[in-house]
Amino acid sequence: MVRSLALLVLVGCGRFGFGGTDDAGTDDAVIDGTPVVIDLCPELVGDQEHDEDGDSVGDECDRCPHIAGTDVDLDNDGVGDACDPSVGTAERIRAFATFETGAPAGWTNTWRGTTGELAFTGDAARFELARDDVGFLTMPDPGMPILLVETRFTVEAISPNEGNPARNFAIVDGYDVQADSGLMYGPVYDHNSPAAFGLFIIEVLNSVGNDTFDEDPIGGGFSFGVPYALRFVRQSDQRTVILNEPSQRYMGSTTRPLTQGGLIGLRSRGLRVRIDYAIVIY
């Protein structure tokens, strides 16, 4: 199916949509031997049919485009309760990236090191990072007291222990890419640690972990080739990170003053990791 990337201001949905859409006229189904086009967002003008969670609701009009069957929206703010960082206050889905044709508008793709890249494969993004190179996919931090950033990722390979032994994938908060400084939330693998993967919340200063607020081994181990959902929620000065898979859930939190400026998004070191989507809500 041919995909294109569109930046749409959707007044009815109250969001900026960063995701793929089908070209008009694409045959989406065959009914009784006849190709037909199925409109997954019938209330919107145009062809907004990409459906990341496969629930037959197009991303641009789905209240939680990455979680199937999430119509409940108690505060009626356009964000389903399953992905609403604060039910009872008015948030919006500001960005939803599904990487059909590259980095979405408003996001910056950078990396540090001599090798590696962020490649786009038609339905996902991949950090291809060798050695201990660092890659970023970021957008400006809105500085809002209530913020959610979530992604689904799969670790496919870990580079050898060269230089810094830590390999990690993280959501970043108030980050300075050039200085590689800010707050990071996610799983880390340490070549020198028998615990291997752990879940961490850490402040990084010039690529060095300066202050670790929470670090716990991931009970039961961490599986390669398995998709995990990583969710970060900022509520005023409280930061919470949750790592999900179908049968397990790990959570850590810390309190930090709300800082203005910087970047939010994704960071990876020394991993080959697949990223299926990134969503930003505030």
Side-chain angles (χ1 to χ4, degrees), residues 32-153:
D32 293 333
T34 302
V36 297
V37 175
I38 298 174
D39 191 349
L40 299 183
C41 283
E43 68 269 35
L44 297 179
V45 176
D47 188 33
Q48 317 299 332
E49 293 189 39
H50 187 264
D51 180 15
E52 179 69 23
D53 57 13
D55 63 357
S56 298
V57 180
D59 294 342
E60 296 292 349
C61 53
D62 196 330
R63 293 177 186 266
C64 287
H66 58 307
I67 305 173
T70 50
D71 294 332
V72 177
D73 179 13
L74 292 179
D75 57 11
N76 198 34
D77 62 358
V79 182
D81 292 353
C83 59
D84 195 329
S86 181
V87 176
T89 60
E91 287 80 43
R92 292 289 184 268
I93 298 174
R94 306 293 180 172
F96 185 61
T98 52
F99 310 116
E100 268 68 32
T101 58
W107 298 64
T108 302
N109 167 21
T110 57
W111 65 85
R112 297 163 60 97
T114 57
T115 61
E117 64 175 337
L118 181 59
F120 299 94
T121 58
D123 61 350
R126 276 186 170 83
F127 281 114
E128 302 277 357
L129 299 172
R131 304 169 60 88
D132 58 351
D133 294 346
V134 183
F136 301 89
L137 181 63
T138 52
M139 64 181 291
D141 185 342
M144 301 298 289
I146 297 176
L147 169 75
L148 177 144
V149 182
E150 183 170 336
T151 186
R152 184 173 64 232
F153 72 98

Side-chain angles (χ1 to χ4, degrees), residues 211-272:
D211 191 356
T212 301
F213 307 115
D214 184 86
E215 186 168 0
D216 295 305
I218 296 178
F222 185 95
S223 300
F224 295 99
V226 173
Y228 290 82
L230 179 64
R231 175 182 290 191
F232 160 67
V233 177
R234 179 170 76 199
Q235 292 184 299
S236 297
D237 60 353
Q238 181 71 32
R239 272 88 161 153
T240 302
V241 58
I242 301 171
L243 181 68
N244 280 316
E245 63 171 333
S247 61
Q248 297 173 324
R249 178 174 183 168
Y250 311 98
M251 182 171 67
S253 64
T254 188
T255 300
R256 296 291 287 174
L258 179 63
T259 57
Q260 298 294 321
L263 301 170
I264 57 173
L266 308 177
R267 176 193 189 273
S268 186
R269 178 189 286 274
L271 295 177
R272 187 172 77 236

